[in-house]
Amino acid sequence: MAALAPTTPWIKGAKADYRVCGVTTLKVDMQTERLIIANAVMAVVCLVLGGIAALLIALTRWQAIHLLDATWFYRLLTLHGVDMLVAWIVFFEMAGLHFGSTALLNARHAAPKLAWSGFILMAVGGLMANFVILFDPKSIVTFTAYVPLKAHPLFYLSYILFAVGALITVITFFINLVVAKREKRFEGSLPLAVFGLMTAAILAVYTLLEGAAAIVPAFFWSLGILPDYDPGIYRNFFWGFGHPAQQVNLAAMVAIWYMLAQMTVGIRPLNEKFSRLAFILYLFFINLGSAHHLLVDPGLSFAWKAVNTSYAMYLAVLGSMMHAFSIPAAMEVAQRAKGHTKGLFGWSRNDRGTNPASALLSCP
Amino acid sequence: MLAPEKTWWKPMGRMEKTWLTVAFVWCVFLTLMMPLWYFMGKQNVPAETYKTTPSQFNETVNAFVEQYKVGEDTINGVTLPVVEAPPGSDVYLRASTWQWYPILQFKKGETYRLHISSMDLQHGFSLQPVNINLQVLPGYDYVATIIPTSTGEFTIVCNEFCSLGHHTMIGKIIVK
């Protein structure tokens, strides 16, 4: 790993404010570290809230217990959806983007103030959504909030604040890449893991824009400014946000998978072209999959449904198949080179259980 | 993290090429299955849709019930008309919070054009236990051409959350 000497300041003449990670030997900018911690902590807080809701929902679905009445059941179902499917994953993605665009490139955070403003908007939006759902009976509309089921205007506003905050954070990711390149923190192309995170960031941009296309009109409609909002159009745009939000997560997770494999097992990607092509397939085709939420909708033809729900010939699936080959294959090569050659699968079970990062690696 | 070498655009290895080919062939196979099923399969998602308004659709439903009413039945303590139209005709089902109206009666093996629309919120038409599902939106008249293949009583449940009485929204279809 070609880390710079720890004495090199980030900017000429400026005081060095970073630490060197004892495990990975990566240099971590302290500004970034605080941003990562804030985003990751908020992510876990949302996970806990959504998890508690999930437990109570499960105890209600279990007919022998049937814990909650209908009002509380659907209230917590709404809360669970917003916290789990939006807040938890997007906060954690933002932490990952901050890490990927700085520590992995041996670089500083170039726009910490902008990143904090993004975080604050997301935190305000996330908490506001939780409060509105818990205290306003009108806003029990589930995570999808299908028009013409009308929630309180603050419900839509909280989605908008959260999305704008996320968009700002994604923009700081791109700023960091450009500045790191200009400051010559890395040479040539981006490392594969950062390339993967960049795929996730690009997916996030159009996911959030589609979210705006669905929710902003709904906000004005709930205020009575917009008289009519077509439910079919809303569904189309909402799922352009609701489904790809999980695909951003997928691309980020695969990128982190490459990163962990590199850190724990010491892989070199077998073929950069192969792995990068797989990420590009995600970029172009994965969001078509959101159409499967409209599979039994009126007004859409068979051809439209077939092209979209099949990711245009399953090309995004092909991307996943390629990653599923290339990561384990690179791990096998690295492990065999280290001497773990016993039998056909000896390479796959060396330090599981002793090295927590290796255990993490085997999770996805 | 290691940046890639200056030139990382290299030809793929034999294993990678093989894997890519196998995976791609599988993708093509899955893709071909979709139109194949559309033309060969016995059950498909309908696409026929017309623009309507809740009041316009409501009038059509009321006229339809008046013309073809054959009896009465109760669901959730509410008396609903049972309607049987001649085979081949257009039949209408109205979704509103939280009721499917009316109770439809069909003859096995005959063809009907089933129109479904909503008066207020989004609803989900879910025919149980055969598990046939259609999204019901206000302003959209969704037409499914159906041929009932077995006799008996079937339950319609709403599978789209339509505010707090959603779980009580059930209806009935009878096939004789």
Side-chain angles (χ1 to χ4, degrees), chain A residues 147 189 230 235 296 299 321, chain B residues 8 11 19 49 122 135 140 160:
Chain A
V147 169
S189 304
D230 187 291
R235 287 172 64 80
V296 292
M321 293 288 276
Chain B
W8 49 262
W19 180 263
T49 309
Q122 299 197 17
Q135 192 72 23
Y140 289 71
E160 190 61 74

Side-chain angles (χ1 to χ4, degrees), chain B residues 115-176:
Chain B
H115 295 247
I116 315 176
S117 190
S118 164
M119 292 296 104
D120 37 46
L121 304 174
Q122 299 197 17
H123 297 284
F125 171 91
S126 182
L127 191 66
Q128 299 297 340
V130 284
N131 202 19
I132 291 171
N133 302 286
L134 296 169
Q135 192 72 23
V136 186
L137 309 181
Y140 289 71
D141 175 1
Y142 201 4
V143 187
T145 303
I146 56 164
I147 305 169
T149 52
S150 51
T151 55
E153 279 195 14
F154 300 87
T155 306
I156 311 166
V157 298
C158 179
N159 66 1
E160 190 61 74
F161 177 68
C162 52
S163 81
L164 289 171
H166 160 62
H167 59 290
T168 63
M169 184 168 168
I170 54 172
K172 204 196 288 186
I173 283 180
I174 302 160
V175 180
K176 286 200 165 163

